[in-house]
Amino acid sequence: MSATVTTPRHPSTHTSLRRHVRRATGRDHSPLCRPLDRAYSRLVAGLALAMLATLVVAAAAALLVYRAETHTAQQAARHRHTVTAVTTGPAGSADPRAGGVREYAPARWTYPVGPGTGIVPVPDGTLAGTAVRVGLNDAGDPVRAPKPVDLVVTDAVLVGFGTVTVLGFGAEGVFALRRHALERRAEKGWEAAWEQVEPRWSGRR
């Protein structure tokens, strides 16, 4: 009976993952291993599997984003044609698409489908009458350059990191709640066992 009382109130948090796996799979036959300890080991093993699955899902999500954005950039590049345009006015940031990053200027150009005009991005300080390179689609309309590889990689990494963060915190939260419930159960079991043993141990009637 004394062994029952002297066992720890709470499941051990210093047990190795390997032993947790042995307990979770029922291969730990130690007489000191309580059902509560096995339940805690199953919880730890479940968290380890959840974290591994999180890494796999995050890697898959990052790869999907990388492939999708790479395909989009390749498709855009196939239908983008660079021509020389001539600005018809000075550069400025009046166009709302500028966003304070680049300046824009009105320009005209010649394309197989006919001459065209529009607002195009230009280097800061570009003057009227300056020749600039402009990307056009098959219809002769200005289009942005495809997303560069470094930005595609950055997007994929951010998606992977975000997936790990969200799923990882979720798994940790579930683990913390379940561990708290097991600790409360252990506390109640320890107190009940002590109430039975303490009178005989102390000689109190």
Side-chain angles (χ1 to χ4, degrees):
M1 184 66 72
S2 60
T4 303
V5 178
T6 56
T7 53
R9 293 193 181 193
H10 305 303
S12 175
T13 58
H14 302 291
T15 305
S16 66
L17 179 60
R18 182 177 180 181
R19 188 169 185 184
H20 277 305
V21 172
R22 288 179 59 82
R23 283 181 178 177
T25 55
R27 291 182 294 165
D28 187 346
H29 304 294
S30 170
L32 297 179
C33 182
R34 302 165 296 177
L36 185 69
D37 296 317
R38 294 191 178 91
Y40 182 73
S41 292
R42 287 194 294 269
L43 184 62
V44 172
L47 177 64
L49 288 175
M51 288 303 181
L52 179 60
T54 293
L55 294 177
V56 173
V57 171
L63 182 59
L64 287 175
V65 170
Y66 177 80
R67 288 181 174 177
E69 292 198 2
T70 298
H71 177 73
T72 300
Q74 291 173 345
Q75 288 295 102
R78 290 192 184 99
H79 299 279
R80 186 176 185 271
H81 315 280
T82 303
V83 300
T84 299
V86 178
T87 58
T88 58
S93 300
D95 189 88
R97 292 173 297 177
V101 178
R102 296 193 64 182
E103 293 189 342
Y104 286 74
R108 64 174 184 272
W109 56 85
T110 301
Y111 190 63
V113 297
T117 60
I119 303 296
V120 298
V122 295
D124 296 348
T126 298
L127 302 176
T130 303
V132 294
R133 301 292 285 173
V134 177
L136 306 176
N137 59 18
D138 294 336
D141 299 320
V143 292
R144 294 182 178 180
K147 183 176 290 188
V149 175
D150 57 340
L151 290 184
V152 172
V153 172
T154 299
D155 288 346
V157 170
L158 289 177
V159 168
F161 181 77
T163 302
V164 169
T165 301
V166 173
L167 296 183
F169 273 113
E172 285 283 359
V174 172
F175 174 80
L177 291 175
R178 291 289 299 136
R179 183 179 63 184
H180 180 67
L182 288 175
E183 289 176 347
R184 290 183 59 186
R185 190 195 310 175
E187 187 75 27
K188 291 180 180 179
W190 191 93
E191 291 176 354
W194 177 250
E195 288 178 357
Q196 296 177 2
V197 173
E198 190 273 335
R200 282 177 284 177
W201 178 78
S202 62
R204 180 176 58 85
R205 297 182 179 277

